[in-house]
Amino acid sequence: MIHLDDAQVSTLLPTPADQVALMRETPLALADGSASVTPKTQVVHEEGGFANAMPAAWTERGLLGIKWVTVTPSNRARGREMIGGLMVLSAADGSTRATMDAAELTAQRTAAVTGASLALDDRPITFVGTGVQARSHARVIEALGRGPLAVWGRRPEALRELAAWCAEHTPGLEPHRDRPGRGARRRGGRDQRPADRAERRGAAPG
């Protein structure tokens, strides 16, 4: 059995455009019954924190696994990542094939789901937040040619850091920075929430 850390997962995942294509297939598989998931099982381990267990199976593609994701707000004060977790992949006979860190997988999967939904919505895009999910969404939005991207953030320095990151990693995407009081929600664009809320309501396998 092998274990892949977040850095290895990042290098092995498909391109953002290919991830979006896969996420477009997923709800169709759920609808026709070829893939299956259960409602998330959630426990609360601290104020504002939670952990989700998310099993999924797609038999015809040989996919069986479960993702365990934790959201721990107190980690910010410790200088640690707020979102963590583990993905366990099983073979058809139930044996464990591999484990992998789930933070990078979660970030890219959530952004890919957003990308799939954008095929049904051509309004301008506003993202709320400047963290990991902002970066994974920027990659997807650039790959789909859906810029510019309006970003709402509380801290000007975080907005500047995100703009610098985009200039290096998503040069084809022009982020427009927005701060409290400037009315990101009045733009009429599509709001995308931070990862914790996305994880609370997401239903696709991954």
Side-chain angles (χ1 to χ4, degrees), residues 90-111:
S90 299
D93 63 2
S95 61
T96 302
R97 298 170 59 187
T99 60
M100 61 182 73
D101 292 346
E104 186 67 23
L105 185 68
T106 297
Q108 295 198 34
R109 173 263 183 197
T110 305

Side-chain angles (χ1 to χ4, degrees), residues 88-191:
V88 180
L89 299 177
S90 299
D93 63 2
S95 61
T96 302
R97 298 170 59 187
T99 60
M100 61 182 73
D101 292 346
E104 186 67 23
L105 185 68
T106 297
Q108 295 198 34
R109 173 263 183 197
T110 305
V113 172
T114 296
S117 72
L118 290 176
L120 306 175
D121 192 338
D122 60 0
R123 291 177 293 171
I125 303 168
T126 297
F127 192 91
V128 181
T130 56
V132 171
Q133 282 292 328
R135 288 159 171 75
S136 61
H137 276 74
R139 290 187 188 276
V140 165
I141 292 166
E142 181 196 41
L144 298 178
R146 287 295 304 271
L149 171 66
V151 179
W152 187 95
R154 291 178 294 178
R155 298 184 297 115
E157 63 273 21
L159 287 166
R160 288 192 294 269
E161 290 172 4
L162 177 61
W165 184 93
C166 288
E168 178 180 356
H169 298 280
T170 57
L173 179 68
E174 181 184 1
H176 294 291
R177 293 172 286 177
D178 219 331
R179 298 190 302 276
R182 292 183 60 184
R185 296 182 184 279
R186 292 197 296 271
R187 290 178 179 268
R190 180 183 180 88
D191 283 353

Side-chain angles (χ1 to χ4, degrees), residues 27-65:
L28 299 177
L30 291 172
D32 66 23
S34 56
S36 63
V37 298
T38 62
K40 290 180 181 179
T41 300
Q42 184 176 102
V43 294
V44 175
H45 66 295
E46 71 173 37
E47 180 67 28
F50 60 92
N52 285 339
M54 294 163 279
W58 197 339
T59 303
E60 66 184 33
R61 297 199 179 185
L63 300 176
L64 174 63

